[in-house]
Amino acid sequence: MNRIVLASASPRRKELLEQIGLTFQVCCSTCEEKSQGSEPSSVVCELSRQKADDVWQKEWEDREGLLVIGADTVVSFRGKILGKPKDEKEACEMLSALSGNVHEVYTGVTFCYLKEGRKMSHTFYEKTEVVFYPMDKEEIEGYVATKDSMDKAGAYGIQGRCAAFIKEVRGDYNNVVGLPIGRLYQEMKECFGK
Amino acid sequence: MNRIVLASASPRRKELLEQIGLTFQVCCSTCEEKSQGSEPSSVVCELSRQKADDVWQKEWEDREGLLVIGADTVVSFRGKILGKPKDEKEACEMLSALSGNVHEVYTGVTFCYLKEGRKMSHTFYEKTEVVFYPMDKEEIEGYVATKDSMDKAGAYGIQGRCAAFIKEVRGDYNNVVGLPIGRLYQEMKECFGK
């Protein structure tokens, strides 16, 4: 691959790709993301595919050696998908639910590339369990007041101040940040060599 | 507590304390750290205590409301403690051992503070398991060539380029970075309130 395009506006995903030394451009998808599914793993796979496909369409002029990477992350608690909170009240409700409990974070990733002139699409997902310490009302409100909740699925960012309330991670930590960078590298190696 | 002193020169520990919003100073211990033990959990507890005690001695002028935090991290693989590699050859050997396997990271933390005029010392440790994907010779040498290995126990930094080779974490991720920030916050709350 001689050109990599990340189909995501997330600064955290950009940082993770930079962290493992990849050179890439960013091109955000503008499609309306819609999933038919309700299973978190299917939803993130479908949405990552939609994002990658949308950017693949935009990059029609030069697809030789192009790899487009799409990704989508959701938080799931007791079978219910938690998206980004619409206001501080909802952020507090989400954190009250996660407090003292274990939940799952799913990230789906799609690669789009050409192989012998044909478009290939390769999708996978990673699941990570996250265990929260109990948070009391004051701690939840204090955290939400930092505004760190507002642009994040499940109303928290594991890499910020919320680290004080994370007891345990089981799986790829970076998957919770937004991109399973270990698995992504391994899948790239499998598809394209080193 | 009205003054917190981190007894560690590690920029990573400093970042983690800053991440949860604590205000503190840094004062490095200068004692020669020596452990009698061979059990990783005993070693990190003992060394964190030595570091905290050393800085506690230095801060003899004003101990009222003072909290000194000492910490020590080791990597353990099949019962053997891996320290910082002495050269690139040893870094490659360590990574060859960790490749495709699970190992443990231990961090010990000690708090020193006054309670009713008496010095109190509180020590705890966290253990995190880390699973590596298999790394081939080229990957190991490529990573060691980045120099990221040289100042780190076990010859890797989980927060750098090595993220490409981390399959799974089981426990506190930040414990592997050098400070179990979730547990530390909980222990502080327990000892001193919020």
Side-chain angles (χ1 to χ4, degrees):
Chain A
M1 294 296 131
N2 51 34
R3 193 160 66 97
I4 299 175
V5 174
L6 173 65
S8 171
S10 157
R12 297 176 290 277
R13 292 201 180 106
K14 186 167 171 281
E15 271 171 38
L16 285 169
L17 276 189
E18 283 165 352
Q19 186 179 317
I20 61 161
L22 285 185
T23 305
F24 59 95
Q25 301 160 280
V26 171
C27 176
C28 305
S29 68
T30 47
C31 61
E32 196 190 348
E33 298 150 22
K34 263 189 187 167
S35 172
Q36 307 296 326
S38 60
E39 272 298 310
S41 58
S42 321
V43 170
V44 293
C45 285
E46 199 177 343
L47 296 183
S48 74
R49 213 177 291 124
Q50 288 174 15
K51 291 179 187 178
D53 281 346
D54 185 62
V55 170
W56 181 260
Q57 294 307 322
K58 293 181 187 184
E59 298 282 339
W60 58 273
E61 282 186 333
D62 183 16
R63 287 174 177 164
E64 205 56 54
L66 172 68
L67 166 64
V68 173
I69 302 174
D72 192 76
T73 302
V74 301
V75 168
S76 167
F77 178 63
R78 295 182 180 162
K80 198 184 153 200
I81 290 178
L82 306 183
K84 297 175 184 177
K86 63 175 191 297
D87 53 28
E88 294 200 356
K89 184 170 165 285
E90 200 180 36
C92 288
E93 286 164 7
M94 286 184 185
L95 290 169
S96 301
L98 302 184
S99 164
N101 287 314
V102 52
H103 65 271
E104 297 86 41
V105 180
Y106 290 82
T107 298
V109 178
T110 294
F111 293 164
C112 288
Y113 56 100
L114 284 183
K115 191 173 177 179
E116 294 160 12
R118 284 185 54 204
K119 181 195 166 192
M120 305 295 285
S121 192
H122 173 57
T123 302
F124 57 91
Y125 76 93
E126 274 280 309
K127 170 185 156 182
T128 303
E129 292 183 334
V130 180
V131 187
F132 264 61
Y133 282 108
M135 294 174 82
D136 64 24
K137 196 165 174 282
E138 192 189 327
E139 288 171 326
I140 289 173
E141 288 174 357
Y143 177 66
V144 169
T146 67
K147 308 288 180 197
D148 199 35
S149 293
M150 298 318 291
D151 61 334
K152 298 188 182 75
Y156 76 96
I158 199 167
Q159 73 284 17
R161 192 176 280 227
C162 201
F165 306 107
I166 308 293
K167 190 173 182 190
E168 198 180 333
V169 162
R170 299 171 193 150
D172 186 332
Y173 169 87
N174 293 314
N175 195 42
V176 186
V177 180
L179 206 55
I181 204 70
R183 175 76 180 276
L184 183 139
Y185 170 80
Q186 302 296 326
E187 295 277 348
M188 283 182 74
K189 205 166 74 168
E190 187 89 7
C191 287
F192 316 114
K194 276 182 290 190
Chain B
M1 293 296 130
N2 53 32
R3 193 160 67 96
I4 299 174
V5 174
L6 173 65
S8 170
S10 156
R12 297 177 289 277
R13 293 202 179 105
K14 187 168 170 279
E15 271 172 37
L16 285 169
L17 277 189
E18 284 165 352
Q19 186 179 318
I20 61 162
L22 285 185
T23 306
F24 59 96
Q25 301 161 280
V26 171
C27 176
C28 305
S29 69
T30 46
C31 61
E32 195 191 347
E33 298 148 21
K34 263 190 189 168
S35 172
Q36 307 296 327
S38 59
E39 272 298 311
S41 58
S42 322
V43 170
V44 293
C45 285
E46 200 178 343
L47 296 183
S48 75
R49 213 177 293 124
Q50 288 174 14
K51 291 179 187 178
D53 281 345
D54 185 61
V55 170
W56 181 261
Q57 294 307 324
K58 293 182 188 184
E59 299 282 340
W60 58 273
E61 282 187 331
D62 183 17
R63 287 174 177 165
E64 205 54 56
L66 172 68
L67 166 64
V68 173
I69 303 175
D72 191 77
T73 302
V74 302
V75 168
S76 167
F77 179 63
R78 295 184 180 160
K80 198 185 154 200
I81 291 179
L82 306 183
K84 297 176 185 177
K86 62 174 192 294
D87 53 27
E88 295 200 355
K89 185 170 165 283
E90 199 181 37
C92 289
E93 286 165 6
M94 287 183 183
L95 290 168
S96 301
L98 302 183
S99 163
N101 287 314
V102 52
H103 65 272
E104 298 85 41
V105 179
Y106 291 81
T107 298
V109 177
T110 294
F111 294 164
C112 288
Y113 57 99
L114 284 184
K115 192 173 177 182
E116 294 160 9
R118 284 185 54 203
K119 182 194 165 194
M120 305 294 286
S121 192
H122 173 57
T123 302
F124 57 91
Y125 76 92
E126 274 280 310
K127 170 185 156 180
T128 303
E129 292 182 332
V130 179
V131 187
F132 264 61
Y133 282 109
M135 295 174 83
D136 64 24
K137 197 165 174 283
E138 193 188 328
E139 288 171 326
I140 289 173
E141 289 174 356
Y143 176 65
V144 170
T146 67
K147 308 286 179 197
D148 199 35
S149 293
M150 298 318 293
D151 62 333
K152 298 187 182 76
Y156 76 95
I158 200 167
Q159 73 282 21
R161 192 177 279 226
C162 201
F165 305 107
I166 308 293
K167 189 173 182 188
E168 199 179 332
V169 162
R170 299 173 193 147
D172 186 332
Y173 170 86
N174 293 314
N175 195 42
V176 186
V177 180
L179 206 57
I181 203 72
R183 175 78 180 276
L184 183 139
Y185 170 80
Q186 303 296 327
E187 296 276 348
M188 282 182 75
K189 207 166 73 171
E190 187 90 5
C191 288
F192 317 113
K194 273 181 291 189

